[in-house]
């Protein structure tokens, strides 16, 4: 039964990712190539990192080299799976359905934890395999590395089970639990970006203070000290680490199996507030539909994080421009003598890239899901519904765009033409992304999702729109940097602004004419 449940969960995940029908095989091949690409890219990055840490092994500190590899592997697996663990174990929508069948709760729990373990194994291998390859070795070292690859993910799995339970406990009575999840995710993301930005400095600090780092690992992260010593050749330490990890996993599984039935069947607690009589005000149809779209966006942490990350990046970029204003003014003075339009050009490309990652419309129709009939039964026209979805996208994207572009104009002090285009070109790009995203989602809706993650991240429409936005950004940048010596930046971006605005207008015309028929056919 455990094997069958695991197979069902993996099959459901693949079906949610690739959909059903005649295009399933092609989508699986495409996602396979994307997965391979991500593994190769991130594996190469970690390979370069461990290549820089090779002096530790040459200095007789091989155990510290592998201890750091274990810490990074476990940390990446934990950061990548903690929210997934919370959703799969404690907030899964099919818990009560499965428990109503003649299946033991421990078997249901085991199937979920096994799938999570495979996910942690993949994330951990992206870090640990490059470390092993860079270090090199034969014979028993290969066997130790294979055992470590299999058993090390159990440690982040235990940690993610505990923190997933803690997150569920903290958010049980929260009124704004989605906001809490978003803030916590952004803290994880910010920590990762901070570590990545300071990777070179961290490597230099480790190499220069290797003895102090070794002492800290031995004192505060003793399990990874045992792991490093075992990988370096101390079989007893490696066996102690494996035994401790297995015992910890067995303890966590035993505790969860004893409490899983209570957790899975416990009624969901919601925050309550006292009702107060208030005056009701009538509003327009368009305003009501727009509030509905914005409420869905800000009420879903998955939708907010994945579709609105570009808006946040633009606000962060505006703050960075203010903080680094003196350095940028100095750079503008030096570069301005050679090409005064270079920095404003780079700013346009960066803002356009951020606008391409704001993709509310690519999943706004899919998110209607099984409740689509409610919207279609209302006395509103398809044009009003589609217009509200477009306006919601622009309401999220345009204010951060104007803040970032305005800050860039204030800091960089470009010419009047480039300053105007620094606002208009990204605005036309944002309109193009909004309209084309809605058109793609209208033609390729995913209404049979079980969780919002499938509609937002795992649908064909979202993948096509995100990759298409990146492709248009590259297409916007490459010709300029190839012929930048002969092109006038203002003329180039003015032409692109016109092209993007015309393309958005043509797509909008299609939406208002044939798109209404497509909506009625859903």
């Amino acid at each position: 039964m455990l094997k069958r449940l695991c197979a069902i969960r993996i099959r459901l995940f693949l079906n949610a990712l690739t959909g059903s029908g005649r295009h399933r095989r092609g989508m699986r091949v495409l996602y396979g190539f994307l997965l391979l690409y991500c593994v190769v890219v991130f594996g190469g990055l970690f390979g370069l990192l461990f290549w820089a840490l090779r002096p530790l092994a040459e200095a007789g500190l091989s155990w510290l080299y592998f201890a750091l590899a274990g810490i990074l592997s476990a940390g990446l697996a934990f950061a990548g799976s903690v929210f997934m663990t919370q959703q799969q174990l404690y907030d899964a929508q099919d818990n009560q359905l499965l428990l109503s069948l003649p299946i033991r709760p421990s078997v249901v729990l085991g199937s979920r934890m096994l799938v999570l373990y495979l996910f942690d194994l993949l994330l951990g291998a992206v870090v640990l395999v490059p470390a092993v390859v860079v270090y090199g070795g034969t014979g028993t070292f290969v066997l130790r590395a294979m055992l470590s690859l299999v058993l090390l993910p159990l440690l982040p799995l235990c940690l993610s089970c505990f923190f997933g339970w803690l997150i569920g406990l903290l958010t049980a009575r929260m009124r704004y639990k989605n906001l809490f999840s978003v803030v916590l995710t952004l803290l994880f993301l910010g920590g990762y970006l901070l570590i990545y930005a300071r990777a070179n400095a961290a490597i230099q600090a480790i190499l220069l203070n290797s003895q102090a780092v070794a002492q800290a690992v031995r004192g505060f992260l003793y399990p990874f000290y045992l792991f490093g010593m075992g990988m370096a050749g101390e079989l007893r330490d490696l066996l102690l680490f494996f035994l401790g990890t297995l015992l910890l996993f067995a303890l966590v599984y035993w505790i969860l199996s004893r409490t899983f039935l209570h957790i899975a069947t416990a009624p969901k607690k919601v925050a309550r507030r006292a009702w107060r009589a208030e005056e009701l005000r009538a509003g327009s149809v368009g305003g009501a539909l727009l509030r509905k779209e914005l409420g869905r966006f800000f009420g879903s942490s998955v939708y907010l994080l994945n579709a609105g990350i570009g808006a946040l990046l633009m606000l962060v970029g505006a703050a960075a421009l203010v903080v680094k204003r003196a350095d940028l003014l100095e750079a503008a003075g030096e570069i301005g003598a050679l090409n005064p339009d270079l920095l404003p050009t780079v700013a346009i490309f960066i803002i356009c890239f951020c606008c391409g990652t704001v993709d509310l419309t690519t999943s706004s129709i899919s998110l209607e899901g099984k409740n689509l009939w409610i919207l279609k039964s209302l006395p509103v026209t398809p044009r009003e519904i589609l217009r509200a979805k477009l306006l919601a996208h622009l309401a999220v994207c345009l204010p951060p765009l104007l803040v970032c572009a305005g800050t860039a104009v204030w800091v960089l002090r470009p010419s009047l033409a480039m300053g105007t285009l620094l606002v208009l070109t990204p605005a036309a790009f944002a309109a193009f992304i909004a309209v084309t995203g809605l058109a793609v989602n209208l033609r390729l809706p995913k209404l049979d999702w079980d969780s919002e993650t499938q509609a937002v991240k795992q649908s064909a429409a979202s993948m096509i729109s995100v990759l298409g936005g990146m492709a248009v950004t590259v297409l916007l940048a490459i010709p300029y940097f190839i012929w930048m010596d002969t092109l006038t930046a203002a003329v180039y971006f003015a032409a692109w602004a016109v092209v993007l605005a015309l393309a958005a207008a043509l797509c909008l015309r299609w939406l208002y004419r044939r798109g209404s028929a497509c909506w009625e056919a859903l």
Side-chain angles (χ1 to χ4, degrees):
M1 183 57 69
L2 178 63
K3 180 180 178 181
R4 184 173 299 177
L5 285 177
C6 292
I8 290 174
R9 295 202 65 80
I10 294 174
R11 191 181 302 117
L12 287 175
F13 174 77
L14 292 176
N15 290 340
L17 191 67
T18 60
S20 58
R22 59 182 179 177
H23 300 296
R24 176 188 296 182
R25 180 173 298 180
M27 291 298 295
R28 287 188 176 181
V29 172
L30 179 59
Y31 273 105
F33 277 115
L34 288 175
L35 177 62
L36 180 62
Y37 171 78
C38 293
V39 169
V40 170
V41 169
F42 285 102
L45 291 175
F46 281 109
L48 293 175
L49 172 64
F50 289 114
W51 185 268
L53 291 174
R54 282 191 66 188
L56 291 175
E58 297 171 357
L61 291 174
S62 297
W63 73 266
L64 180 58
Y65 172 89
F66 284 111
L68 294 174
I71 293 171
L72 291 175
S73 177
L76 180 63
F78 170 75
S81 64
V82 60
F83 290 101
M84 182 179 178
T85 302
Q86 193 262 338
Q87 294 173 0
Q88 290 293 319
L89 291 185
Y90 309 111
D91 290 339
Q93 298 180 357
D94 58 347
N95 274 338
Q96 296 189 10
L97 176 62
L98 288 175
L99 293 174
S100 66
L101 300 175
I103 304 174
R104 289 180 298 173
S106 59
V107 176
V108 177
L109 174 65
S111 66
R112 297 189 186 281
M113 293 188 71
L114 185 57
V115 174
L116 292 171
Y117 165 77
L118 294 176
F119 186 71
D120 285 343
L121 178 64
L122 176 62
L123 292 178
V126 172
V127 179
L128 197 58
V129 170
V132 171
V133 171
V134 170
Y135 183 83
T138 57
T140 58
F141 173 78
V142 177
L143 180 60
R144 294 197 304 271
M146 294 177 63
L147 290 174
S148 300
L149 182 63
V150 172
L151 294 177
L152 183 62
L154 293 177
L155 185 59
L157 177 60
C158 294
L159 293 176
S160 61
C161 287
F162 171 72
F163 278 93
W165 170 79
L166 189 61
I167 292 172
L169 185 65
L170 290 175
T171 58
R173 294 185 177 274
M174 279 189 178
R175 181 179 177 185
Y176 301 105
K177 60 176 63 179
N178 288 323
L179 179 61
F180 177 81
S181 299
V182 169
V183 171
L184 201 59
T185 304
L186 291 177
L187 288 177
F188 274 108
L189 179 61
Y192 170 78
L193 294 176
L194 182 62
I195 293 173
Y196 181 80
R198 298 183 178 180
N200 291 330
I203 292 173
Q204 293 297 326
I206 291 173
L207 295 177
L208 293 176
N209 303 281
S210 57
Q211 295 298 331
V213 175
Q215 188 65 30
V217 172
R218 188 183 295 112
F220 298 102
L221 299 170
Y222 189 73
F224 292 103
Y225 166 72
L226 293 176
F227 173 77
M229 290 294 292
M231 288 295 295
E234 296 292 336
L235 183 59
R236 183 181 64 87
D237 291 334
L238 189 63
L239 290 177
L240 285 175
F241 175 79
F242 288 162
L243 181 60
T245 302
L246 289 172
L247 289 176
L248 178 62
F249 175 75
L251 177 63
V252 170
Y253 179 76
W254 180 79
I255 293 174
L256 287 179
S257 64
R258 302 278 293 186
T259 59
F260 182 70
L261 184 62
H262 172 72
I263 294 173
T265 58
K268 301 299 180 183
K269 301 175 182 178
V270 295
R272 301 179 182 273
R273 62 174 180 174
W275 179 83
R276 292 183 301 174
E278 296 179 354
E279 181 182 358
L280 295 179
R281 297 180 181 179
S284 63
V285 173
L289 292 173
L290 178 59
R291 287 192 296 272
K292 169 191 169 296
E293 296 296 330
L294 293 177
R296 164 58 69 89
F297 174 71
F298 289 105
S300 170
S301 58
V302 174
Y303 195 18
L304 179 61
L305 282 172
N306 289 277
I309 189 66
L312 177 64
L313 291 177
M314 284 187 279
L315 294 176
V316 172
L321 285 171
V322 174
V323 173
K324 298 292 184 179
R325 181 172 181 267
D327 297 335
L328 288 172
L329 288 176
E330 182 179 354
E334 296 176 357
I335 298 175
L338 302 175
N339 188 347
D341 295 330
L342 183 58
L343 288 181
T345 296
V346 173
I348 291 175
F349 291 144
I350 293 176
I351 296 175
C352 286
F353 176 81
C354 293
C355 291
T357 59
V358 179
D359 51 356
L360 276 71
T361 54
T362 62
S363 53
S364 60
I365 294 176
S366 298
L367 285 172
E368 300 295 340
K370 300 175 183 178
N371 296 322
L372 179 67
W373 67 273
I374 298 176
L375 195 58
K376 295 181 69 174
S377 65
L378 297 177
V380 294
T381 63
R383 175 177 293 192
E384 291 174 322
I385 295 173
L386 298 177
R387 184 188 298 120
K389 295 182 181 295
L390 289 173
L391 290 177
H393 182 112
L394 296 177
V396 171
C397 185
L398 287 183
L401 185 154
L402 295 175
V403 171
C404 188
T407 306
V409 171
W410 173 66
V411 172
L412 301 178
R413 305 293 175 87
S415 63
L416 178 61
M418 283 301 296
T420 304
L421 291 170
L422 207 156
V423 177
L424 293 182
T425 304
F429 187 85
F432 172 79
I433 292 296
V435 177
T436 54
L438 187 60
V440 172
N441 194 209
L442 192 60
R443 298 291 294 178
L444 297 171
K446 184 175 181 60
L447 302 172
D448 57 345
W449 48 268
D450 296 319
S451 67
E452 292 182 344
T453 303
Q454 298 172 9
V456 175
K457 299 174 61 177
Q458 300 170 2
S459 65
S462 61
M463 184 184 68
I464 292 173
S465 299
V466 171
L467 294 180
M470 293 181 180
V472 174
T473 306
V474 173
L475 184 63
L476 178 67
I478 289 178
Y480 178 81
F481 286 110
I482 292 178
W483 296 294
M484 61 185 301
D485 294 333
T486 58
L487 288 175
T488 302
V491 175
Y492 179 79
F493 287 112
W496 265 108
V498 172
V499 169
L500 291 170
L502 287 176
L506 291 174
C507 190
L508 183 63
R509 181 183 179 187
W510 179 88
L511 280 174
Y512 282 170
R513 291 190 174 184
R514 301 191 60 182
S516 298
C518 293
W519 171 264
E520 293 291 351
L522 292 178

